[in-house]
Amino acid sequence: MERDFNRIAIIQGERRVTFSELFVQIRRFAAVSGLRRGTKTIVFGENREEWVYALFSVWLNGGIAVPVDAMSTAEDVAYILKDCQPEGAWVSKKRMDVFRQAQDLSGVDVKVLSFSECSEHSGEIVQSGSCGDSSAFFHLYCQNEEDTALIVYTSGTTGTPKGVMLSFKNLFANVNAVSQEVRIYHPTMRTLILLPLHHVLPLMGTLIAPMMLGAGVTICPSMTGPDIMKTLAEGDVHMIIGVPRLWQTIYGGVMKKIDASPVTRFLFWLCKKVDNMKFSRIIFSAVHKKLGGKLEFCVNGGAAIPKEVAEGMKALGLDLLDGYGMTEMAPMISFTRPGELLPGSVGKALPCVQLKFVDGELCAKGPNLMQGYYHRPEETAEVVDQDGFIHTGDLGHVDAEGHVFITGRTKEIIVLSNGKNINPAEIEYKLEDYADKVKEVGVCQHGDKLCAIIVPDELWARGKTDEQQEEELKRTVIEPYNQSTESYKRVLELFVFHGDLPRTRMEKLQRYKLPQLLLSGSHAAPKQENYVEPTFEEYRLIKQYIEDEKRVAVKPTDNLDTDLALDSLDKVGLQSFVELTFGLKLTAERVATFRNVLELAEYVSDYKTRIEVEKTDWAAILHAETSHIKLPETWWTAGVIVKLAKKLSQWYFGLEGKGMENIPQTGPFIVAPNHQSYLDGMFLTAFMPKRQVLNSYFYAKQDHVRHWFTRMMADHNNVVVVDLNNLKESIQTLGEALKRGKNVIVFPEGTRTRTGELGQFKKMFSILSKELDVPILPVVIKGAFEAMPKGQHHLNRTKVTVEYLPVVRPAEFPDYDALSDKVRNEIAAVLH
């Protein structure tokens, strides 16, 4: 391996260190330490050139390096000292006092070596050639491949850290994967050292791999925005390895400027449509210039990157490579190939790595698998099976093309008393989608409820009291989320926290610390445990009704929306119960004014005309006299629109229909599709016979037809507008359509999916089906979410299919819930 020893190895501020100088410094550090082969040496300090010399000097002496987080407390360092019993320690001046305290706490005596004392003359010019030839430099990496090179302590996302032993063979496997098997690193590039080097990802990706390849590094003095931008502008950087928050910061800053002008917004949209990296780099050349002008790759690690950020950076011409791994794999298991970013995926497995799944858990095997946990053979055996696969603890899957998707952590799964398994990361992602109000979210179990710990956006929260923030977050974040998800995934407790959620230096959420925030946070939802249970009859009956319907315990202080998650149909049932039982008519607007169950019960107690216990009689509601209801008329244009829409959809989306033989030839029937985009109505009617389309009624929320034109089109194209403030009459309108032999198209989810996943089904369609004995035609729409996800205002050209499933007949099911579950399960089975 020939090298140019005059090439710059390290850039730090104004200082430039050649490979020749680098090797001299390494030899000097090695001589000063005087530690023998096989001994363990701690490296404890902030990112700086002396850190580099210290690490390689340990290897030059045939030793084992133990990198320690520069931000560790004395207690943290003492734990490592006692666990691995090192013989020496390289320590920076800033951390010397902490290390001395750690020695006192641990009682472990080590040879302490100072960065600053050894590097007093590091600025002197060293004559080129004094380092010897390239084989002498390569000697740093030519230890026995099976020798232990590093002991890296895990970051402690779940508690006590363990020392992961990594051999030179483990390190070589990772470097070879990204330089030979897939050519990402090359000798002419330079990598930014930004993240703390004690962690295996930046240690391997920003130091060891570049140095092994003779590529060189640039050290950023801190992780602050000004330092990063200055270093990028002056440091000849070709690659950055960062965490999601870094990319969100860079992307957010760029997008603020882009959104400020219609021209740049159009150019950004155009780049997304063209989807060509070279084109995007030309259009946004000014952005690339501010990032130094040489940036080739942005590598994400540590945690998943939001899909919007990944897609947006691609549109800006920034080649984002996402990766996935763990310390035990030194660290890579999979990574994105250049130009192949698939948002949501963490790339394909390393060519040398084998994958398998055991009960949904990803397991990996390869030459980069650790030697084991230091002095913990039993714990090693717990995670590495007899076939040599490590059980990662991550849930996921691999698609047909080999793309790896991670969906959660096995140890982070919350198991409620009803046996339901909850992936908190899935909920956090959905709540963080409300980025204008929410900075970050941590979801944990509190009692038998899901609690969302929300850190509000600082700008949004400014000027609002804690109580005002809490109330608005409940109304505008928690309630919409609860209405769009399965009942067992609903968040029934909110905790507003001012500060940062506990994370590792690599941005991983430390979930085991979340319950502590509930006890020590700056603000939380008012405690509701201290209350006196009312005894008056109206409260008792209302409480019993809600508990029977929602199958949850009810307290007088429970909010109807946030705590009990009553959706609009639940409230219709409650209104009906109150009217039948107490003779009191309540409008939806009036129900919304009650802060809790007790207020509702007190109002009923004051204004009731009787007490006569009855359940909501949907049969009576739907069979009531409704002949006065006028259904929307159908213009001749409806058939033309459907035919034209079909042709356009087949041309642009390659729209394909399946199962048309399952469409009933005569009505009435209820069409129940999943809801992925605004285009779903156009897609699902494309393959229905024209007479059935003209005989079918959609329903739409009133919010969607506020404009005069959309209202006019609804009135003349078979659209029943549902008024959520008078849902009972809206249901009766749909029922009247069915009684007149018409078909009704109802989206059971009630709203479009935010993530592409199937949401919770409302019972409206099953009530209509059961009470009017009308069959249901389940329909599966695939690809529409990718074509136009919620919140996006332009179309993506992607394949869309519509599949009509066999009809489901209501007589075969005992109640609304069973019927609704059957239809949802049928759709879910095909959708996934």
Side-chain angles (χ1 to χ4, degrees), residues 657-667 669-671 683-693 696 743 775-779 802-807 809:
K658 301 178 182 178
M660 279 77 82
E661 67 277 5
N662 293 319
I663 301 174
Q665 296 301 305
T666 58
F669 57 89
I670 297 171
V671 183
F683 292 148
L684 71 90
T685 57
F687 300 98
M688 292 175 61
K690 180 180 177 181
R691 66 180 185 283
Q692 293 289 40
V693 173
S696 298
N743 309 316
I776 298 170
L777 175 67
V779 182
V802 177
E803 183 169 355
Y804 305 88
L805 307 183
V807 296
R809 301 193 180 279

Side-chain angles (χ1 to χ4, degrees), residues 361-374:
E361 180 185 7
L362 187 149
C363 305
K365 174 183 180 181
N368 52 335
L369 176 59
M370 68 173 179
Q371 295 173 310
Y373 295 122
Y374 183 70

